Amino acid sequence: MQQLVAKIAIPIPEDQILISKVELEELKQQQLFGTYWSMKDLEQRINRKQEWIKEHILFPTKFRKILDIEEGGFVFYPQKKGQTWSFHARHMAKFLDDHFNQIFLNCN
């Protein structure tokens, strides 16, 4: 069998770089380290309003046992007026990925 070997040059614009998928994922994860989301941040991340998030993610017992910092989780649930929600970004992002089907399957 014959083979043809060719070398070509593909120009890459100055404002772009090539990186591996593994490196891209590592960069994405590093971006979330030490980052905390507010309720507004979470709304933007999943494109749902606060009321929906509370009803389908934060208050169902099966999820609250995982999420609530008082249960060893990574979400601060406000306990009195003036306190705000706080979400550990990296852990919350992973939770949302891991539980996507459970969250969105029965929430029409």
Side-chain angles (χ1 to χ4, degrees):
M1 175 196 287
Q2 293 182 350
Q3 289 185 337
L4 174 64
V5 176
K7 287 186 178 183
I8 62 169
I10 301 173
I12 299 172
E14 290 290 325
D15 63 338
Q16 296 183 10
I17 61 170
L18 292 177
I19 61 171
S20 70
K21 286 183 182 181
V22 170
E23 204 171 352
L24 176 61
E25 288 305 314
E26 287 174 0
L27 288 170
K28 285 180 183 178
Q29 287 301 316
Q30 287 175 7
Q31 197 173 29
L32 295 176
F33 275 94
T35 301
Y36 300 92
W37 292 339
S38 65
M39 179 61 80
K40 191 61 90 181
D41 295 324
L42 186 58
E43 285 179 325
Q44 290 173 347
R45 292 282 175 166
I46 65 173
N47 198 27
R48 302 286 182 163
K49 293 289 182 197
Q50 182 175 162
E51 294 75 22
W52 187 95
I53 292 170
K54 289 177 182 177
E55 181 181 340
H56 293 93
I57 300 172
L58 299 174
F59 289 139
T61 307
K62 65 182 177 184
F63 294 142
R64 186 164 182 163
K65 285 188 224 177
I66 300 167
L67 298 171
D68 196 332
I69 60 170
E70 297 205 356
E71 299 283 338
F74 41 87
V75 174
F76 173 74
Y77 283 71
Q79 298 178 359
K80 56 186 171 184
K81 191 173 178 143
Q83 291 182 325
T84 58
W85 290 89
S86 187
F87 307 88
H88 188 284
R90 183 170 51 93
H91 294 302
M92 192 65 191
K94 182 172 178 4
F95 171 84
L96 293 169
D97 285 344
D98 291 348
H99 295 88
F100 181 83
N101 288 346
Q102 289 176 285
I103 294 168
F104 290 96
L105 195 57
N106 298 315
C107 65
N108 297 327

